[in-house]
Amino acid sequence: MILYARSVARRSATALQYGEPIPPTLADAVTRLGEAVRTMRRECRDGEDLTGTRRLVRESAELAGRAWAQGVRSFGDGVVTDLRTADSELLRATGCGPDDANRMVRTAAGAGEAETRPPPRAHLSRAVPHTPRARRRTRMARRRRARPDPFRPPTRTPRPS
């Protein structure tokens, strides 16, 4: 965990040194990770359940995903990557298995990305023609696309001897 925190700090300093644009949500994600570490320390000391820590880690991953979707450059991308890895490691420290921790971070980061930049699938769906005339036009267009190009010579397969 400490290695990833150092890496986040180092890459953040380098990104600022090179003047890369850093979305405010990325700084919020780093802050949320720090809060998660402090909360974990308190919850462990008091013998409480670690649900508060897990919630803060998921929020950190979501904010990191949102920052990535807003646009970061190379060092900012490294900060996001290291931050997500630190989130996963902290979840593992709370008792989650490696696969569960990675899945939780991926899900939270994906939710953050989707809030900022909705998935493009919505633009790919086509409207279904409801009138007979529209269905006929669609059928004719499909037939035209299926016809061979009249300017292209037909391909001939050699006959077996």
Side-chain angles (χ1 to χ4, degrees), residues 115-134:
E115 278 183 28
T116 303
R117 185 172 40 194
R121 279 180 255 139
H123 301 289
L124 297 177
S125 63
R126 293 186 179 196
V128 178
H130 295 289
T131 63
R133 184 176 179 187

Side-chain angles (χ1 to χ4, degrees), residues 74-106:
S74 60
F75 290 110
D77 189 41
V79 171
V80 170
T81 301
D82 288 341
L83 190 59
R84 287 177 60 170
T85 305
D87 288 337
S88 180
E89 290 294 321
L90 193 57
L91 282 175
R92 289 184 66 188
T94 65
C96 289
D99 292 336
D100 290 336
N102 290 337
R103 182 184 43 76
M104 288 168 68
V105 169
R106 261 194 316 273

Side-chain angles (χ1 to χ4, degrees), residues 34-91:
E35 290 173 8
V37 171
R38 284 189 294 277
T39 302
M40 182 178 182
R41 179 175 174 240
R42 183 184 48 78
E43 288 174 343
C44 286
R45 184 185 62 221
D46 297 343
E48 296 177 17
D49 192 21
L50 299 173
T51 54
T53 302
R54 290 184 180 136
R55 179 185 51 80
L56 288 169
V57 170
R58 282 192 302 269
E59 288 175 11
S60 172
E62 183 179 334
L63 289 167
R66 194 176 304 160
W68 184 83
Q70 289 171 351
V72 292
R73 292 194 185 144
S74 60
F75 290 110
D77 189 41
V79 171
V80 170
T81 301
D82 288 341
L83 190 59
R84 287 177 60 170
T85 305
D87 288 337
S88 180
E89 290 294 321
L90 193 57
L91 282 175

Side-chain angles (χ1 to χ4, degrees), residues 21-38:
I22 301 294
T25 52
L26 187 54
D28 293 342
V30 174
T31 302
R32 201 63 47 99
L33 179 65
E35 290 173 8
V37 171
R38 284 189 294 277

